[in-house]
Amino acid sequence: MSATKSLNILHLFPRLLGLNGEGGNVEILRLRSEWRGLPVVVNEYDGGAPVGFGDADLVFIGSGPVSAQLIAHPLVLAVAAELRELAADDRPFLAVGAGFQLLGQTVALENGEVLEGAGVYPVSTRHGGTRVVGDLVLESERFGTIVGFENRGSFTEVGPHATLGKVVYGRGNSETPGAEGFWEGNLLGTHMHGPILANNPLIADSLLDTARDRRSLQYGDPGSDKLHEIDERARQARGTIAASPLSE
Amino acid sequence: MGLRTSAAVLVGRAVRVAARLRGGGSAIPGNIALKIDPAFLERTIARIPKGVVAVSGSNGKSTTTNMLAAIIRAHGLKVFTNPSGGNLPQGIASALLSEVSVGGHLDADIAILEVDEGYGTRLAELLKPRTVLLLNIQIDQLNRYHEPDRVAAMLGRVAATSTEGLILNREDNFLVDMDTRIPSRPGRAVSFFGGLPELVEPAGHGVASADRFDESAAAPGSRAAAVEVVALNGARATLSIESAVLPSAPDEASRTEIEVRLPSRGLHYALDAAGAAATARSVLGEQFRPELVSEALDTLATVYGRGELLDVAGEQIEIIMMKNPASLQLNLDSLEAAPEQVFLAVDEGTPDPSWIYDIDFSALDHVDGITGSKAWQFAVRFGYLGIPVGSVDLDVRAALKAFLALPKPATGHKVMILNYEQMMLIRKILGFKELEGGGAA
Ligand SMILES: [Zn+2]
């Protein structure tokens, strides 16, 4: 494979952190690029030497149960410097749930223990409080309605930074619903579990654009009919969820 | 028996009749009875001579409870059991209402109860099971329990309440060493069920056990099984059953092989049958007769809702339940060929279908119609998979009508993949009776 003519996605800890079909995000990114004529190479990393990290054009890390998060913690710290370097070099990141937390500054567990994060995102997490499980609907200036599903027993402190969107339904980062996630520059983090990109293809395209722009990679094809049809279905899915969101 | 019990029973029964006339809400009468007499359930159950057998796990509870009840009945015992899905306290109370006398007496030798894993701890306190059968811990209803570890911890507490017998699936990542992770109890016999490695390993997606990340005291499959699936042929399986150790030759454990009929194709059904046989063996001791397992399972009607064939206007329609990712995967894997006509209906009973991105849908080559409030999310998934979708219509009745109007397939039969709520709704639309009735109206 030629590294110059394909897009490289680094998928961190697919086995440990991929509880809710989150690998779907990587599949969606790959297909959206390949169907437009730009091949994608996925590098799955589950630990060990950080081989090929420097080639990563886009980094994805998913979510998992607390037990998996605790096991992933030292593994994430072992490659923290490499990840911070990629982030500083404008490579787009998508981090979800437990993975997002571990890439932050700190994670305070319910037993009082505080885990040090990889320091990629300027956010901190506090576990505890009531668990919230249900649809999450956001309004974003860039993308309009964003829908997803949250299933979390934690709060995220993002300080003065920009977020993914304003909470219309659900809880989001804080006890009092306000905003959800973190999105500044090339770094996107959220607690929208599962394949967030499935219902929100504009976010997928935005991440791909950031990755392509850095290397001036072009799509060979402006877009396929397949993507058109899928995006129309996703629009219907967003509409259905936003019209009557539910939670436990 | 106190007035309170009588009142609870009578009011509960009246509500039950009313609820059935309206055609729904089978847990409501139990709920009301429990409000009038909160101890009704506990007290009635406590007087059953041979006590309670609790069956729990992520998947296959109804099937296995049904099998076990049939096997125990074949041995001549009177069994009280709860209908499939009625596995919360209210559901069990509702089932009791239909069988107790107004004085609160229940004519049963033993209770065999399917127990919801989320209510397991509370129900175990209430029911005080002498024997507990745990089937599996799969990535099931994560929206309710959030994490497999939590389900494992809840089932561990249920297991710890067993006084006489604990029966575990040795193929499950979490259950294979559960006996070592709970306080031991003198007099509790622990036994295992499983399948030959050559059956378990290549079986499509195996037994779809949830991943486990902490240290395990034993590898899946490594414990000796009292009942083992040794052959599988379509909807028939061969079980090898270890006889009780003979007092005359304490080291000799002889085995008997029997053939059993399963509700449908699939290793998961064979493991359910093995679990039921192992539990009957544990409960009945020397009275246990392996040949009665075959007899019971042969005559057992297909359990409602799993691999069931509905007869609609002279045409057979296969129902595949989408209860959770594991059951859907196992059911898809057991399809012999891509069905010619497929219909899918999923609603908010499946609040977060994200796991469809973990499912291998290659058993399908197209889907004719999708309905239910999650329909568009499935349509997106099939789009990325390149599986053509005929139509998406959120109006369930219209979508169903269009699907049924398709000419009879040239081979096989129409297949409907449904979540539990849509199955109930569609049965109702088609004129089938609710849960307890089974069969066609
Ligand atoms: Zn979770």
Side-chain angles (χ1 to χ4, degrees):
Chain A
M1 88 204 71
S2 153
T4 49
K5 289 207 178 101
S6 61
L7 200 71
N8 293 280
I9 297 179
L10 174 59
H11 186 178
L12 297 171
F13 309 107
R15 198 182 118 73
L16 273 168
L17 302 174
L19 184 65
N20 297 293
E22 275 150 8
N25 288 312
V26 173
E27 188 185 342
I28 288 166
L29 288 165
R30 180 176 64 79
L31 291 171
R32 295 187 75 84
S33 179
E34 291 187 344
W35 285 348
R36 288 157 165 150
L38 178 61
V40 169
V41 176
V42 177
N43 176 12
E44 295 199 338
Y45 175 78
D46 272 303
V51 178
F53 274 37
D55 293 336
D57 296 308
L58 196 157
V59 180
F60 175 76
I61 186 167
S63 189
V66 177
S67 61
Q69 186 179 27
L70 294 177
I71 295 164
H73 176 239
L75 302 174
V76 169
L77 284 191
V79 292
E82 285 84 353
L83 295 177
R84 283 196 301 269
E85 228 171 273
L86 293 176
D89 192 33
D90 292 331
R91 329 269 175 131
F93 275 58
L94 172 59
V96 182
F100 175 37
Q101 297 175 6
L102 289 174
L103 295 195
Q105 306 295 318
T106 55
V107 182
L109 302 176
E110 273 187 274
N111 63 12
E113 198 189 331
V114 178
L115 306 180
E116 181 198 347
V120 173
Y121 290 75
V123 305
S124 49
T125 302
R126 178 169 53 86
H127 281 246
T130 328
R131 183 169 277 270
V132 57
V133 181
D135 290 324
L136 180 55
V137 181
L138 311 178
E139 205 52 41
S140 136
E141 277 176 26
R142 281 164 82 181
F143 299 126
T145 301
I146 296 173
V147 303
F149 199 86
E150 61 180 340
N151 176 352
R152 75 169 86 164
S154 64
F155 302 103
T156 314
E157 181 58 60
V158 298
H161 298 283
T163 64
L164 178 55
K166 271 198 303 216
V167 174
V168 176
Y169 182 92
R171 191 173 77 190
N173 290 338
S174 49
E175 266 126 314
T176 318
E180 161 55 24
F182 175 96
W183 199 353
E184 267 185 8
N186 55 319
L187 300 180
L188 170 56
T190 179
H191 278 78
M192 283 193 165
H193 271 225
I196 173 185
L197 302 181
N199 293 332
N200 309 287
L202 286 174
I203 298 178
D205 287 349
S206 163
L207 291 166
L208 288 170
D209 288 347
T210 307
R212 289 186 312 120
D213 288 351
R214 197 185 60 85
R215 284 183 51 207
S216 307
L217 290 169
Q218 304 296 315
Y219 287 138
D221 206 309
S224 69
D225 290 346
K226 271 191 282 196
L227 284 177
H228 231 75
E229 190 178 22
I230 289 173
D231 291 354
E232 171 55 19
R233 291 174 184 178
R235 191 185 65 79
Q236 298 269 15
R238 286 196 301 281
T240 311
I241 294 168
S244 55
L246 291 168
S247 37
E248 263 180 23
Chain B
M1 241 330 74
L3 274 177
R4 252 174 117 77
T5 297
S6 300
V9 171
L10 289 173
V11 174
R13 281 222 182 118
V15 176
R16 190 166 188 277
V17 170
R20 285 180 69 90
L21 288 175
R22 281 192 299 111
S26 64
I28 299 167
N31 241 333
I32 291 175
L34 286 176
K35 278 204 179 104
I36 297 174
D37 180 3
F40 160 72
L41 181 60
E42 199 171 352
R43 207 172 41 236
T44 312
I45 290 283
R47 289 189 293 160
I48 299 173
K50 286 182 183 294
V52 172
V53 180
V55 179
S56 200
S58 307
N59 197 27
K61 291 187 286 289
S62 302
T63 308
T64 311
T65 301
N66 223 29
M67 288 174 171
L68 178 58
I71 295 167
I72 301 285
R73 282 188 181 119
H75 283 81
L77 271 69
K78 282 186 207 150
V79 173
F80 166 70
T81 185
N82 47 347
S84 70
N87 55 16
L88 304 179
Q90 313 87 280
I92 295 171
S94 285
L96 268 181
L97 280 173
S98 65
E99 301 200 16
V100 292
S101 68
V102 173
H105 180 73
L106 180 71
D107 186 22
D109 301 312
I110 188 166
I112 296 170
L113 300 173
E114 167 188 343
V115 165
D116 183 276
E117 60 273 36
Y119 283 78
T121 313
R122 214 193 121 200
L123 276 167
E125 279 164 18
L126 223 58
L127 305 172
K128 301 184 177 60
R130 293 186 199 173
T131 301
V132 169
L133 164 60
L134 298 181
L135 297 169
N136 45 52
I137 295 175
Q138 297 170 345
I139 301 191
D140 173 39
Q141 299 173 311
L142 281 168
N143 305 310
R144 288 173 62 203
Y145 309 129
H146 316 303
E147 285 156 15
D149 315 72
R150 288 181 61 183
V151 180
M154 286 190 278
L155 288 184
R157 288 193 287 274
V158 177
T161 62
S162 64
T163 51
E164 291 178 3
L166 174 61
I167 298 90
L168 300 167
N169 180 355
R170 72 160 186 202
E171 313 302 343
D172 186 278
N173 291 340
F174 286 89
L175 298 178
V176 64
D177 66 347
M178 182 162 273
D179 55 320
T180 66
R181 287 182 291 124
I182 59 171
S184 65
R185 202 190 265 257
R188 178 200 290 146
V190 179
S191 52
F192 289 86
F193 64 97
L196 282 183
E198 49 267 51
L199 293 175
V200 173
E201 278 153 21
H205 298 75
V207 283
S209 177
D211 282 345
R212 179 175 167 187
F213 300 109
D214 62 339
E215 285 289 309
S216 173
S222 65
R223 309 293 293 268
V227 178
E228 189 176 36
V229 182
V230 295
L232 193 57
N233 176 20
R236 303 200 80 91
T238 307
L239 305 182
S240 162
I241 301 178
E242 186 186 326
S243 314
V245 175
L246 302 169
S248 53
D251 298 329
E252 296 275 305
S254 65
R255 298 188 81 93
T256 310
E257 286 198 357
I258 57 161
E259 192 172 288
V260 294
R261 208 197 73 160
L262 307 174
S264 186
R265 300 179 298 270
L267 176 68
H268 56 311
Y269 289 121
L271 287 173
D272 290 345
T279 306
R281 177 183 171 278
S282 174
V283 167
L284 297 166
E286 288 184 358
Q287 289 177 310
F288 177 69
R289 295 285 169 269
E291 62 277 13
L292 292 180
V293 175
S294 306
E295 205 180 297
L297 297 192
D298 260 354
T299 51
L300 186 63
T302 300
V303 176
Y304 177 79
R306 316 272 162 91
E308 187 187 17
L309 287 174
L310 283 186
D311 189 2
V312 180
E315 198 182 330
Q316 299 259 287
I317 299 182
E318 184 174 354
I319 307 289
I320 290 183
M321 269 274 278
M322 185 192 293
K323 195 180 149 251
N324 59 42
S327 73
L328 177 61
Q329 189 68 67
L330 290 162
N331 284 320
L332 286 171
D333 289 350
S334 70
L335 287 171
E336 270 154 16
E340 218 173 288
Q341 293 174 358
V342 192
F343 179 75
L344 199 136
V346 190
D347 63 10
E348 51 282 350
T350 305
D352 176 22
S354 289
W355 46 263
I356 55 180
Y357 286 82
D358 286 331
I359 291 274
D360 177 356
F361 281 103
S362 59
L364 304 179
D365 62 5
H366 78 290
V367 177
D368 294 281
I370 313 182
T371 189
S373 57
K374 302 294 171 186
W376 288 112
Q377 285 171 264
F378 277 81
V380 170
R381 177 67 186 127
F382 291 136
Y384 283 115
L385 286 170
I387 294 176
V389 173
S391 64
V392 179
D393 185 349
L394 299 197
D395 180 338
V396 176
R397 282 168 196 274
L400 183 64
K401 200 172 161 192
F403 180 67
L404 293 177
L406 293 175
K408 211 169 167 168
T411 56
H413 33 245
K414 287 188 169 72
V415 170
M416 299 208 283
I417 303 174
L418 312 172
N419 71 347
Y420 180 77
E421 290 73 13
Q422 284 291 303
M423 183 189 67
M424 297 302 279
L425 176 65
I426 285 171
R427 283 181 70 92
K428 210 168 135 190
I429 294 171
L430 294 175
F432 289 86
K433 275 201 178 117
E434 64 157 316
L435 212 97
E436 291 151 89

